[in-house]
Amino acid sequence: MEVNGFMPVPDSYDYDLIVIGGGSGGLAAAKEAAKYEKKVMVLDFVMPTPQGSSWGLGGTCVNVGCIPKKLMHQAALLGQALQDSRKFGWQFTEEVKHNWMTMTESVQNYIGSLNWGYRVALRDKKVTYENAYGEFVGPHTIKATNKKGVEKLYTAETFIIATGERPRYLGIPGDKEYCITSDDLFSLPYCPGRTLVVGASYVALECAGFLAGLGLDVTVMVRSILLRGFDQDMANRIGEYMKEHGVNFIREFVPIKVERVEEGTPGILKVTAKSTTGDQIIEVEYNTMLLAVGRDPCTRKIGLDKVGVNINERTGKIPVNNEEQTNVPYIYAVGDILQDKLELTPVAIQAGRLLVQRLYAGTTTKCDYVNVPTTVFTPLEYGACGYSEETAVEKFGEENIEVYHSHFWPLEWTVPSRDNNKCYAKIICNTQDNERVIGFHVLGPNAGEVTQGFAAAIKCGLTKEQLDSTVGIHPICAEVFTTLSVTKRSGENTTVSGC
């Protein structure tokens, strides 16, 4: 029965909680809810890409994001390590080559084991999992459609939307027919060959970096700036390093057409691009064109209008309050789909767990979106926590911040005698608050490992004086942060000649 054209609110529910989306945030929330003996269902469905790629349970991070990206980044680092090893006395005469298929098969086998592990974990916790597409059809009611087109209706007292995002296409002739995205790259059944990466996001630069590290001819086409939203001083240093290590950049151009000129795996594509500053048109041929121009939330086709959930019409993001609650009280959301929140896997996991603890365990702890550390796995890794230099100046005023910085040379790189004065450390301090560290930035090997530790200290209110009184571990990269003495304001030289 319908009332005034709307489905009535059910008297009882099939589930206490239905989670839409089986990625990091959704699975964390579902498993947490099961601890409190709630009846929980997870709906997860991957729409195949235009190239036909799809994957199992676990979401972007596990299948087509952080995990395969870091493993392929590691493959590239091993290539560099092989070169370095000769100077350390390792002798080998045979030609060193990289096999794309061996790498992708190994990576996909590991991902497959993770997919299976997630399914087993849900089963063990008595969480119902359906590989079906979830779409709201009325109050507290969702329609689940499986790959055979079979539809079922389920009701729940509470819903958590955790549908994540998918790569954006350019909307130009040939993009969906001939281009790939990060959704396709990590399971690509052939070596991509000469590759054009379009975009300047961290996804673009990470993919370009490891492809070049595997020995491929890689070009990055950039519309304007690198790593928008990140510290631009650090972003430009990353760009320079990549350029010095064989990555080509075409700046201030955007593609306007893609055509296939030769079939194959890979084939040959002709890319037509236009200048963003004039009328110049260029045509270049590549084997593969990888789009990394941003991601769009999967929120527009899940029936949110049927239940009255507000979304940002321009971006598709969902506005929530500080408890991840939408404007509809029984519907919550976590992860990359949230408006004005960080798009990071650990943030989604933390938010999902804490949300469920508030719902079912009576806690009050909210997810803290401030001072969240992150790392960009470019060839020279970039770790950051807190404010960028630009944002710090904007928020506190240039006269109220002090930037301490230094180059450093990892000991491991001295014997091969490479990349001196490329690694860089920077902290931003608020002089009006006891020189509290409000921004932390590092370019160098294992940047994520370095940043994670300092992030805990920053969370505790780390000051420059406390950093200075910390004894460093020698000889490691992170010790540079215990001896920073040169300010940017002074203009003094920060280059180093040894460890």
Side-chain angles (χ1 to χ4, degrees):
M1 182 181 76
E2 295 192 358
V3 181
N4 296 330
F6 292 99
M7 291 179 66
V9 178
D11 295 326
S12 62
Y13 304 108
D14 301 322
Y15 291 91
D16 296 305
L17 174 67
I18 292 180
V19 178
I20 310 162
S24 305
L27 290 178
K31 289 187 283 190
E32 190 69 23
K35 287 183 186 176
Y36 306 109
E37 299 186 343
K38 298 299 174 183
K39 193 177 180 188
V40 184
M41 169 181 266
V42 172
L43 296 174
D44 186 64
F45 191 86
V46 178
M47 287 289 189
T49 71
Q51 300 301 325
S53 305
S54 61
W55 46 90
L57 182 63
T60 295
C61 174
V62 165
N63 292 284
V64 290
C66 330
I67 298 296
K69 172 268 302 287
K70 178 106 187 281
L71 290 172
M72 292 192 179
H73 170 64
Q74 173 65 9
L77 293 182
L78 287 171
Q80 180 66 63
L82 279 170
Q83 294 178 42
D84 290 353
S85 70
R86 294 183 190 275
K87 285 289 179 75
F88 283 96
W90 288 97
Q91 297 176 355
F92 46 92
T93 52
E94 73 275 10
E95 183 188 359
V96 176
K97 293 191 299 186
H98 182 264
N99 186 301
W100 176 270
M101 289 308 300
T102 301
M103 176 186 69
T104 51
E105 187 178 324
S106 301
V107 168
Q108 290 303 315
N109 285 343
Y110 175 63
I111 289 170
S113 73
L114 293 178
N115 298 147
W116 175 248
Y118 289 132
R119 294 185 68 160
V120 169
L122 291 181
R123 188 180 63 204
D124 289 349
K125 294 179 186 300
K126 297 183 171 54
V127 173
T128 303
Y129 161 63
E130 281 216 18
N131 181 203
Y133 188 89
E135 184 180 355
F136 287 103
V137 290
H140 293 272
T141 307
I142 199 159
K143 178 176 72 177
T145 308
N146 69 15
K147 60 185 177 185
K148 293 179 180 176
V150 177
E151 298 178 355
K152 294 180 185 173
L153 292 182
Y154 297 104
T155 60
E157 182 178 19
T158 306
F159 290 84
I160 296 176
I161 307 167
T163 47
E165 297 182 306
R166 296 292 291 270
R168 184 180 304 146
Y169 284 81
L170 293 168
I172 62 172
D175 62 346
K176 289 190 175 176
E177 292 86 350
Y178 308 126
C179 298
I180 65 169
T181 70
S182 55
D183 279 359
D184 307 292
L185 177 65
F186 303 112
S187 58
L188 200 66
Y190 53 86
C191 180
R194 187 169 188 238
T195 303
L196 175 67
V197 179
V198 181
S201 63
Y202 72 89
V203 176
L205 298 188
E206 287 176 338
C207 292
F210 73 67
L211 289 173
L214 299 177
L216 302 183
D217 180 347
V218 180
T219 299
V220 181
M221 185 173 286
V222 181
R223 184 185 60 186
S224 54
I225 63 172
L226 301 179
L227 294 176
R228 187 178 301 280
F230 288 88
D231 188 286
Q232 283 302 291
D233 171 26
M234 308 303 277
N236 291 330
R237 291 174 188 273
I238 290 169
E240 284 304 311
Y241 184 89
M242 290 178 69
K243 202 154 63 172
E244 288 169 12
H245 284 256
V247 177
N248 308 302
F249 284 85
I250 300 175
R251 305 296 289 255
E252 298 183 326
F253 271 84
V254 291
I256 55 173
K257 184 169 62 173
V258 190
E259 301 163 276
R260 177 180 280 162
V261 294
E262 190 176 301
E263 298 275 348
T265 51
I268 298 176
L269 303 175
K270 182 170 79 172
V271 181
T272 307
K274 183 180 186 303
S275 167
T276 59
T277 57
D279 297 325
Q280 187 185 357
I281 302 282
I282 58 171
E283 289 182 352
V284 198
E285 290 189 351
Y286 298 93
N287 300 118
T288 299
M289 182 165 165
L290 171 69
L291 301 181
V293 293
R295 299 172 63 80
D296 292 321
C298 301
T299 56
R300 298 189 191 273
K301 296 180 180 177
I302 58 171
L304 295 183
D305 54 320
K306 303 271 179 45
V307 283
V309 172
N310 291 337
I311 69 168
N312 182 315
E313 285 303 329
R314 185 179 64 83
T315 64
K317 297 271 190 174
I318 300 177
V320 293
N321 63 16
N322 64 359
E323 297 193 338
E324 287 78 43
Q325 188 177 39
T326 71
N327 63 300
V328 177
Y330 64 89
I331 299 176
Y332 296 80
V334 296
D336 293 0
I337 57 175
L338 299 189
Q339 182 170 289
D340 302 326
K341 296 287 192 286
L342 297 165
E343 298 179 9
L344 297 167
T345 283
V347 173
I349 293 170
Q350 179 94 313
R353 284 181 182 150
L354 291 175
L355 165 57
V356 167
Q357 288 167 13
R358 291 194 305 275
L359 287 172
Y360 302 127
T363 66
T364 57
T365 307
K366 300 178 181 69
C367 185
D368 185 356
Y369 293 93
V370 177
N371 287 334
V372 174
T374 189
T375 296
V376 181
F377 290 96
T378 35
L380 190 61
E381 295 175 15
Y382 168 36
C385 183
Y387 290 99
S388 67
E389 199 173 331
E390 296 88 346
T391 312
V393 167
E394 191 181 300
K395 185 172 177 68
F396 300 100
E398 192 167 0
E399 68 283 3
N400 295 321
I401 67 164
E402 196 71 83
V403 177
Y404 295 87
H405 65 150
S406 178
H407 287 85
F408 61 95
W409 197 12
L411 181 63
E412 298 85 345
W413 294 6
T414 57
V415 168
S417 193
R418 67 173 173 91
D419 295 323
N420 191 8
N421 290 309
K422 300 301 177 191
C423 297
Y424 180 71
K426 172 168 81 173
I427 60 169
I428 303 159
C429 300
N430 181 357
T431 57
Q432 302 303 301
D433 185 19
N434 198 27
E435 280 209 310
R436 195 169 305 286
V437 178
I438 57 171
F440 175 97
H441 303 270
V442 60
L443 272 181
N446 306 302
E449 310 292 349
V450 173
T451 306
Q452 183 71 78
F454 283 106
I458 291 168
K459 205 82 172 164
C460 297
L462 179 69
T463 65
K464 178 66 166 65
E465 184 183 9
Q466 289 169 329
L467 256 186
D468 292 344
S469 66
T470 302
V471 176
I473 301 170
H474 189 67
I476 65 166
C477 295
E479 71 176 310
V480 68
F481 285 99
T482 66
T483 58
L484 291 174
S485 59
V486 178
T487 66
K488 243 190 181 181
R489 205 186 303 275
S490 72
E492 290 178 35
N493 184 23
T494 63
T495 55
V496 291
S497 55
C499 69

